[in-house]
Amino acid sequence: FKHSNKHHEGGKMVNCVRFAPDGSRSVTVGGDKKGFFYDGKTGEKTGEIESAHKLGIYSCSWAPNSQAFCTASADKTCKIYNADGKVTASVELGKDVTDQQLGCLWVNDDILSFSLGGDYHYIAPDGSRKRTIYGHNKFITALTYDKARDRLISASFDGKLVLWNVQNGESAILSGKGHQTAVVGMGVA
């Protein structure tokens, strides 16, 4: 054991640590709304993320080429930075408490950001939104197949219903006044 780093403020937790794929550096993000860079070999602090989030940062992920990274925050945004920690794009992903972004992952040319509500957002490295797959954040309690429309309908413990296109995987939340508690069975008429 050589040393420890205590750069995150006020006893706030470090929520995520990620090494760049090339191993040259790492980044930490935390509940104090900050992020820090460290040398990949020595662990010494080398910088701080510029213009971090307004609320706690839950996750970060490096681009495969180690030249950029993204962060996901409780402020309902996903931010994209160059390797020096300067913001290149910021994407707002909703206004509801369930739109808090809890995780992110940079895979090839896509950034995936995962929300408290169970949604997956596909974001391009330039910050443009590609698509959203709506899902559940509670146990799925019922599932049925609508043969006439070639779609699945899933329902969860909280009463949320999601329509799934079987051909392309797209999804949509069923709108309107629905159930407030678990759906235990469904059928298609």
Side-chain angles (χ1 to χ4, degrees), residues 33 51-58 71-79 81 90-97 99-102:
K33 308 176 255 184
S51 302
H53 293 270
K54 295 176 185 171
L55 295 172
I57 306 171
Y58 289 120
T71 56
S73 169
D75 68 6
K76 305 167 191 86
T77 66
C78 182
K79 290 191 178 189
Y81 304 81
S90 181
V91 185
E92 186 175 333
L93 295 163
K95 303 221 180 272
D96 190 75
V97 69
D99 295 320
Q100 293 181 59
Q101 300 304 299
L102 304 183

Side-chain angles (χ1 to χ4, degrees), residues 142-154 162-167 186-189:
L143 181 69
T144 191
Y145 177 64
D146 180 352
K147 185 175 182 178
R149 293 177 187 90
D150 195 25
R151 67 182 181 185
L152 290 170
I153 305 167
S154 58
V162 179
L163 307 173
W164 302 89
N165 182 311
V166 174
Q167 298 302 315
M186 290 189 296
V188 177

Side-chain angles (χ1 to χ4, degrees), residues 65-175:
N65 65 5
S66 302
Q67 297 303 305
F69 66 97
C70 61
T71 56
S73 169
D75 68 6
K76 305 167 191 86
T77 66
C78 182
K79 290 191 178 189
I80 303 161
Y81 304 81
N82 65 21
D84 295 325
K86 299 203 183 331
V87 176
T88 60
S90 181
V91 185
E92 186 175 333
L93 295 163
K95 303 221 180 272
D96 190 75
V97 69
T98 61
D99 295 320
Q100 293 181 59
Q101 300 304 299
L102 304 183
C104 59
L105 182 63
W106 198 314
V107 180
N108 299 324
D109 293 328
D110 288 322
I111 298 166
L112 283 80
S113 189
F114 312 100
S115 75
L116 177 63
D119 303 332
Y120 296 82
H121 304 280
Y122 285 76
I123 303 164
D126 67 3
S128 59
R129 291 175 70 170
K130 290 182 161 184
R131 73 179 192 158
T132 297
I133 297 177
Y134 300 97
H136 298 278
N137 70 345
K138 303 283 188 244
F139 292 114
I140 294 175
T141 55
L143 181 69
T144 191
Y145 177 64
D146 180 352
K147 185 175 182 178
R149 293 177 187 90
D150 195 25
R151 67 182 181 185
L152 290 170
I153 305 167
S154 58
S156 54
F157 187 76
D158 59 354
K160 183 177 182 181
L161 285 105
V162 179
L163 307 173
W164 302 89
N165 182 311
V166 174
Q167 298 302 315
N168 63 18
E170 296 291 327
S171 64
I173 298 170
L174 192 64
S175 61

